[in-house]
Structure formats: C-alpha cells, structure tokens
Amino acid sequence: MAVTSMVSTVFLLFFFFTLLLISANSSSLSPYMKIQEQDKDPFVGFNIGTDVTNLLSPTELVKFLQTQKVNHVRLYDADPDLLKALAKTKIRVIISVPNNQLLAIGSSNSTAASWIGRNVVAYYPETLITSISVGDEVLTTVPSSAPLLLPAIESLYNALVASNLHTQIKNKGVVPLDNCLFKPLTPSKEMVDPNTLLHYTNVLDAMVDAAYVSMKNLNVTDVVVLVTESGWPSKGDTKEPYATIDNADTYNSNLIKHIFDRTGTPLHPEMTPSVYIYELFNEDLRAPPVSEASWGLFHGNATPVYLLHVSGSGTFLANDTTNQTYCIVMDGVDSKTLQAALDWACGPGRANCSEIQPGESCYQPNNVKGHASFAFNSYYQKEGRASGSCDFKGVAMITTTDPSHGSCIFPGSNKVGNRTQTVVNSTQVAAGEASSRSLSRVFCVSIMILVTSSILLPFW
C-alpha cells in the first residue's frame, strides 16, 4: 500500500492529540525538568490499563516499574493515588482526558482549568507528567465527539497558560504477517511506495511516513510522531487466529529492538522513535473478544505472560530470556543420509521450508547442508525445543550459536535482519480483518502527534 494512500486510514481512524511538557530553557530547569531532557532519546514505554483482577497497589506498581527499568508510562486517566505514588521518581507519565469528559472540557475553559489544576498542577513537577492525551480512539468509539477534540485541546492549552505552564507545555487491504512482525523480507516481499520508490520492510515505518507525508502536504514540518499504543495480543478467540503467544513475543520483542537500534524510517532515517507498548498488564476484566484481555506482557500479579527476547537492550525489562538454542547439521554427514533427513523434515515433519526455496532468503548457500540446517532448526523450534526433536537419526546437533547469516534469519533467532531502514514513530498493522476495538490495535494502533511549535495546528 502506498504511504500516501495510507493516510486516510491512519488519520481518520486512529488519531488523537497530546500536549507535551518540554523545557523552553534547559539552563533554568528544576531537577525534575532536567530528567525530562532524556526524552530526547528514543524510549519504549507502556500503557497501563486498570481492568485487572487484584492489580498491584499504586506503591507496589511503582516498585514493579522501577524493577523492570520502565521509565515511561501512559495512563488512561489521571488516577490521583498512582500520580502520588509516582512522585519523586524518574518515571515520566502521560495522563489522559477520558472520552466522557471531552464535552465538558471542549465547551468550557473553566472546566478545562479545573481539570488542569486538579490533575496537573497538583502533582507537577514532583510527578513527571510529560504529556496530556486528549481522548482515546475517539473517532472510532464515539465519532459524534470528533468536533470536540480541537476545542478540548484549545481549552486545555488556555488552562495551561492560566497556570503559567505555557512556557513548558506545547501542543506537539490485508498485510502479510511477516511485514507486521519485523521479520526479514526478501526484496520481492518489501512494500514499495510508488510515489517515492522507497522500500518498506515493515508496516510501522510505512504508517509513520504516511503521517509525515500527510503533514508535509499541509505545510506542517515541525511535528514529531510518537506511538502511543502498539502491541500484540497473546490470546484470541476463533476469529482471531493471529493472536498467539508466539506472535506477541515476536512482535513486542522485535519492536523493542527496532526502537533501541536507533535507526529511522526510509523517509526519515535520521529520526528515531519512542513507543508506548499496549500494554503492561493483561486486563482480565475486559469484555470479549478474548484478545481484549490479552495484550499485556505481564499478568496482574506481575508474573510474565511470556518471556521476551530483548537481550542487548540494557537493563530495560527484567522479563528477558537469553538462553536460546538451535538445531543444525553435524559435520561429516554424507549427503545421501542428509537429504533423506531433509526430505522428512520438510515432509512428514512439517517444518517450514519455504525460506530455502529458490529466490528466498535462505536458499543460499544452495547445498543440502545449509538447507538441512534451516529445516532441522525449523522443526526443532516448532516442537518447542523438546528433548529428542534435534536428532534426525544422528545427523543433527544442538548449538547455542545463532546460525542466521545475512538476510537469512533462522527460526528462534533474536536477530531482525540486516536492514538499513527502520523506525520512527507510529503504529502497527497485522494480517486479518479488524472487526472490534481490540483488533484495531492489532491492525492499526494509535498515533500521537507532538507539535513542536507554540501554535495549535488543525491537522484536518
């Protein structure tokens, strides 16, 4: 899909504004504001929903965030207990105006001023409130409220001015699954924008660039795009076949690495993103479909839903696994025996051998040993690295060395492939058809626009 043609979906369905707290003069910053200078670097944050059975107390939740080295969170409201618990920590917080408050705030400057006083002034700067998001999926959940978005933002900005915070606050078709999961692609599978001829290896980059192209067409060039919701559910019902632990692990692990690689989109390779993962906890109290309750990296009791593969991201997230093993061909095996084992793996063994076909990423080197190693490892990973699944009548062995090479990424690898074009800010699309609020996050997650000028810009 062309970047420019993707704009209508991105902007009309999943767009909302935020107000970003930044400093106008770094030399006069308070200690808390100096901490916010770190936001110039790309980061990964988390959305925190509260529809969770036995959710950690605010104090326990803050301790958990600190243990996991999570320094950026987004709340769907402005919970006073949690904002108090976050005081005097290094954790930066986005608070939100719920949809049901848009009418009052958009209609009354005094109501907006009261909201700012109650939810921002009362806590800032001890609590590092970095942004205010106005509404959540407004255009899809309450489309009648769309005309209220801009008035609500204007009212909130006026309230910030009245609170003398205005110098610190500004108003800133079906897709193949592999294109969504940041998996390495052969050139034939890359998306090519017909207008720019830029090649896209993942949908996230394409959607971010779509936002930039759209804004440029409106003569808006001083805007940064920030992803406020991007993730993948680990469980779904029969109509959500791609909501699996494996896909969730793959997507979120690769997303985190994608950000910390500090690269950019094909259109803006110089820009690196920040992303908020949807979400920190499984909200088990949510109504169906099943995926609604299954977006979290952790259960409500702080145990991981699955172990991420994010080694190399420093101390960020203790929920990390590095003990990876692979199955490859032993040295000295005759080609006839090896070919028989390869035929079994790709046949009755049902290994995924598509990538060793002519023209695909793992076809080279074109020899039976190379193809057999890929097939053996595919079977081994498919079987959950179970005991005895790496034998093939004595011709295979287990190794801890990643056998991936070049653009050929073996199943189970932590590598994302050799890409010179990667991420800036936006959302994600997955294979299938969106039919609910939860699936909208799988297929097209929210984009936040941060306006760096002091003038509130209408983007539609």
Side-chain angles (χ1 to χ4, degrees):
M1 181 184 293
V3 169
T4 49
S5 66
M6 202 177 292
V7 171
S8 59
T9 299
V10 175
F11 274 74
L12 293 180
L13 295 182
F14 305 104
F15 184 90
F16 62 91
F17 292 93
T18 64
L19 309 172
L20 178 64
L21 293 170
I22 61 175
S23 169
N25 185 350
S26 60
S27 63
S28 61
L29 294 180
S30 70
Y32 299 107
M33 288 301 294
K34 286 180 180 178
I35 291 174
Q36 287 187 305
E37 287 186 293
Q38 298 176 16
D39 288 352
K40 295 176 182 177
D41 295 326
F43 62 81
V44 175
F46 288 91
N47 291 269
I48 301 180
T50 56
D51 290 335
V52 180
T53 300
N54 298 322
L55 181 65
L56 300 175
S57 70
T59 301
E60 293 171 331
L61 177 54
V62 170
K63 290 181 180 178
F64 176 68
L65 294 172
Q66 292 172 324
T67 299
Q68 295 292 333
K69 307 298 181 184
V70 173
N71 289 324
H72 295 81
V73 296
R74 175 181 171 231
L75 310 181
Y76 286 95
D77 52 21
D79 181 80
D81 293 330
L82 190 50
L83 289 177
K84 289 177 184 176
L86 288 164
K88 297 183 180 180
T89 70
K90 295 182 179 181
I91 300 173
R92 269 79 78 195
V93 189
I94 293 179
I95 60 175
S96 302
V97 178
N99 292 348
N100 60 11
Q101 297 182 30
L102 288 177
L103 175 60
I105 290 176
S107 304
S108 168
N109 280 336
S110 62
T111 301
S114 176
W115 196 95
I116 292 294
R118 187 171 62 253
N119 299 300
V120 178
V121 177
Y123 303 101
Y124 180 82
E126 285 77 13
T127 299
L128 295 177
I129 301 172
T130 59
S131 307
I132 304 169
S133 70
V134 183
D136 178 38
E137 300 183 12
V138 175
L139 303 183
T140 54
T141 57
V142 280
S144 61
S145 297
L148 300 172
L149 280 176
L150 191 56
I153 293 170
E154 290 173 332
S155 294
L156 288 168
Y157 181 75
N158 291 336
L160 291 171
V161 172
S163 299
N164 199 31
L165 292 175
H166 62 288
T167 59
Q168 299 166 329
I169 300 175
K170 299 181 183 291
N171 301 295
K172 298 295 222 174
V174 175
V175 178
L177 190 63
D178 286 354
N179 293 62
C180 304
L181 296 174
F182 300 97
K183 288 188 175 182
L185 303 175
T186 60
S188 63
K189 293 182 179 179
E190 293 177 355
M191 300 171 288
V192 181
D193 188 306
N195 299 309
T196 64
L197 300 182
L198 292 173
H199 288 238
Y200 288 84
T201 59
N202 64 81
V203 180
L204 180 118
D205 286 351
M207 295 185 70
V208 173
D209 281 353
Y212 281 119
V213 169
S214 177
M215 289 185 289
K216 184 177 180 181
N217 290 338
L218 295 173
N219 296 318
V220 177
T221 58
D222 57 351
V223 170
V224 177
V225 179
L226 170 67
V227 186
T228 55
E229 292 184 2
S230 189
W232 205 284
S234 59
K235 188 177 181 181
D237 58 30
T238 56
K239 295 182 179 179
E240 302 170 309
Y242 300 105
T244 65
I245 282 182
D246 183 61
N247 285 343
D249 185 0
T250 298
Y251 178 75
N252 284 316
S253 296
N254 286 343
L255 173 65
I256 291 169
K257 289 182 289 186
H258 195 53
I259 302 306
F260 288 147
D261 279 348
R262 297 179 65 88
T263 52
T265 60
L267 185 63
H268 289 292
E270 77 285 0
M271 301 179 70
T272 306
S274 296
V275 172
Y276 286 83
I277 290 179
Y278 186 86
E279 60 187 331
L280 190 62
F281 298 114
N282 271 348
E283 294 188 85
D284 61 309
L285 299 179
R286 279 195 172 274
V290 173
S291 63
E292 263 304 297
S294 307
W295 290 82
L297 270 62
F298 297 88
H299 296 290
N301 62 3
T303 60
V305 177
Y306 49 87
L307 292 177
L308 288 169
H309 295 70
V310 292
S311 58
S313 63
T315 57
F316 178 76
L317 287 184
N319 174 27
D320 183 7
T321 178
T322 56
N323 297 322
Q324 183 59 281
T325 57
Y326 308 87
C327 181
I328 61 173
V329 171
M330 296 180 64
D331 290 331
V333 179
D334 69 271
S335 58
K336 184 176 180 180
T337 302
L338 202 54
Q339 184 65 56
L342 172 60
D343 292 342
W344 183 91
C346 293
R350 297 185 178 180
N352 181 2
C353 298
S354 60
E355 294 302 314
I356 58 176
Q357 302 306 309
E360 299 301 324
S361 61
C362 295
Y363 181 69
Q364 298 293 342
N366 181 20
N367 58 56
V368 66
K369 182 178 181 181
H371 292 176
S373 284
F374 186 92
F376 291 176
N377 183 65
S378 174
Y379 177 82
Y380 174 66
Q381 302 294 338
K382 178 176 72 73
E383 294 298 309
R385 303 192 298 275
S387 176
S389 61
C390 182
D391 179 67
F392 298 95
K393 294 186 177 181
V395 301
M397 59 177 282
I398 294 175
T399 179
T400 58
T401 301
D402 190 341
S404 302
H405 53 88
S407 62
C408 176
I409 308 301
F410 274 49
S413 172
N414 288 332
K415 295 182 179 179
V416 189
N418 295 331
R419 292 194 304 269
T420 58
Q421 303 142 343
T422 14
V423 70
V424 166
N425 307 304
S426 185
T427 87
Q428 195 57 9
V429 176
E433 297 179 357
S435 60
S436 68
R437 178 173 180 268
S438 66
L439 284 182
S440 72
R441 292 196 186 93
V442 182
F443 301 92
C444 204
V445 192
S446 303
I447 291 180
M448 185 193 299
I449 301 300
L450 305 180
V451 182
T452 57
S453 73
S454 59
I455 302 173
L456 185 63
L457 299 175
F459 293 122
W460 57 75

